[in-house]
Amino acid sequence: GAVVSQHPSRVICKSGTSVKIECRSLDFQATTMFWYRQFPKQSLMLMATSNEGSKATYEQGVEKDKFLINHASLTLSTLTVTSAHPEDSSFYICSARDPTGVDEKLFFGSGTQLSVL
Amino acid sequence: AQKVTQAQTEISVVEKEDVTLDCVYETRDTTYYLFWYKQPPSGELVFLIRRNSFDEQNEISGRYSWNFQKSTSSFNFTITASQVVDSAVYFCALSGHPTGGFKTIFGAGTRLFVKA
């Protein structure tokens, strides 16, 4: 089946640094990718929708300057947490949509645990 | 607006018991997809099932079964003869279009504890 690779799986960084998370669709072209954030023991909250070749669409309350999303190719979207602070510590998960066929196909990466010290 | 409600926050059962996880959804789209995902303690999301809005047939996969009822906007998930390895958080999710823009909205999740 289709695979979405997310890297890194875990990152620890100092406050003030920027962290980049990659999301790749390995065997299909994803015109749309989604980024989610999950706080401990909570649900997944959609942060933004990333469309290849265009600007990401952010959900209400998500700072676009803090969470930079780039979807430069049909197989890669990146999320950069800029000037990270401890409150940005969270589990980030991407998903990629395979638009081919008539059925909705959505595949998730394995997530990235970000810890900001 | 789209919404997914999982009213059960936590459920605790003893191994071999059957357990049903409830999911109620709201959407204005006539075309939508419903999903169940499992999130074990390791954190990754494990896809369990996808059901489109035009297919109300119930589905059984091993110990898992799903009951989709459009009349009550529910998509419940039953685990029969539960096992300790079933302990996880289970999320029900909804993806509707075009109104929903293919975004997947998750319920709050139900944490299932299966005790030996």
Side-chain angles (χ1 to χ4, degrees):
Chain A
V3 175
V4 172
S5 173
Q6 187 172 340
H7 179 80
S9 58
R10 184 177 296 272
V11 59
I12 301 172
C13 69
K14 292 182 179 179
S15 186
T17 60
S18 294
V19 174
K20 180 184 283 188
I21 303 169
E22 291 188 350
C23 182
R24 294 180 184 273
S25 56
L26 296 185
D27 53 1
F28 65 99
Q29 294 186 325
T31 53
T32 306
M33 290 187 175
F34 303 91
W35 287 94
Y36 293 84
R37 179 175 185 176
Q38 185 181 32
F39 290 104
K41 296 190 177 182
Q42 293 190 27
S43 187
L44 288 82
M45 300 303 297
L46 180 64
M47 298 174 66
T49 302
S50 165
N51 292 299
E52 186 267 336
S54 63
K55 290 184 179 180
T57 303
Y58 290 81
E59 295 300 300
Q60 194 171 13
V62 178
E63 299 176 60
K64 60 180 69 175
D65 295 330
K66 159 69 88 175
F67 301 101
L68 299 179
I69 292 172
N70 184 289
H71 193 158
S73 77
L74 285 170
T75 59
L76 174 65
S77 176
T78 60
L79 167 67
T80 301
V81 183
T82 61
S83 187
H85 291 285
E87 58 265 29
D88 299 324
S89 298
S90 190
F91 191 61
Y92 294 88
I93 304 176
C94 70
S95 67
R97 178 174 172 262
D98 180 353
T100 61
V102 297
D103 200 5
E104 175 71 358
K105 294 184 178 68
L106 193 66
F107 305 97
F108 282 84
S110 54
T112 298
Q113 183 65 54
L114 171 63
S115 299
V116 185
L117 304 178
Chain B
Q2 298 192 118
K3 186 178 179 182
V4 177
T5 301
Q6 293 180 257
Q8 304 149 308
T9 306
E10 289 187 359
I11 300 176
S12 185
V13 299
V14 176
E15 210 171 17
K16 297 184 183 177
E17 281 185 19
D18 298 347
V19 59
T20 295
L21 310 181
D22 297 332
C23 174
V24 175
Y25 63 93
E26 295 176 32
T27 180
R28 287 180 293 182
D29 289 316
T30 54
T31 300
Y32 54 89
Y33 295 86
L34 294 163
F35 304 81
W36 276 94
Y37 288 90
K38 174 182 180 180
Q39 188 176 40
S42 51
E44 79 275 16
L45 278 179
V46 178
F47 168 80
L48 296 178
I49 189 171
R50 174 182 57 246
R51 170 70 69 216
N52 75 53
S53 53
F54 300 108
D55 183 1
E56 283 194 74
Q57 278 193 329
N58 291 328
E59 183 159 336
I60 298 175
S61 177
R63 296 184 297 108
Y64 296 166
S65 62
W66 291 269
N67 185 345
F68 178 25
Q69 300 265 356
K70 284 183 80 171
S71 60
T72 56
S73 297
S74 65
F75 187 44
N76 297 337
F77 172 33
T78 298
I79 302 174
T80 57
S82 60
Q83 300 175 2
V84 173
V85 293
D86 295 327
S87 297
V89 180
Y90 291 86
F91 292 101
C92 180
L94 167 70
S95 178
H97 54 91
T99 306
F102 297 107
K103 294 186 240 184
T104 302
I105 306 299
F106 286 80
T110 297
R111 187 174 296 274
L112 175 65
F113 296 97
V114 182
K115 296 178 285 190

